[in-house]
Amino acid sequence: MSKKIVILNGSPRKNGNTSALVRAFTEGAEHAGHTVTEFFLNDMTIHGCRGCFGGHSSRECPCVQKDDMVGMDF
């Protein structure tokens, strides 16, 4: 059974040691039949939760904040 794997890369260097480790992991996971998606958090604008409880709504995207988390497909 294949899995969807999400990698949240918090390193500011896209070609550093963390990225080398992520590449090796990704190659192994994809070779095993899994799907891997990597996000570079340093390049994204992500706001902290405001505690407004908007996430409890029935809307498709319940968060009231409009940042780079909107539309992410996990």
Side-chain angles (χ1 to χ4, degrees):
M1 172 192 251
S2 68
K3 305 282 185 187
K4 285 185 174 181
I5 300 169
V6 174
I7 297 173
L8 303 176
N9 187 338
S11 174
R13 297 183 304 154
K14 287 190 176 181
N15 294 312
N17 293 332
T18 301
S19 290
L21 181 64
V22 168
R23 275 192 302 276
F25 174 84
T26 299
E27 288 174 11
E30 289 176 342
H31 181 73
H34 305 295
T35 303
V36 180
T37 304
E38 179 180 11
F39 294 98
F40 288 95
L41 300 181
N42 195 55
D43 294 341
M44 300 174 77
T45 301
I46 301 173
H47 305 293
C49 180
R50 294 181 180 176
C52 69
F53 298 104
H56 294 287
S57 75
S58 61
R59 293 181 295 161
E60 182 178 325
C61 182
C63 186
V64 298
Q65 299 196 71
K66 303 302 177 217
D67 59 12
D68 290 337
M69 292 296 289
V70 174
M72 290 183 95
D73 182 25
F74 293 115

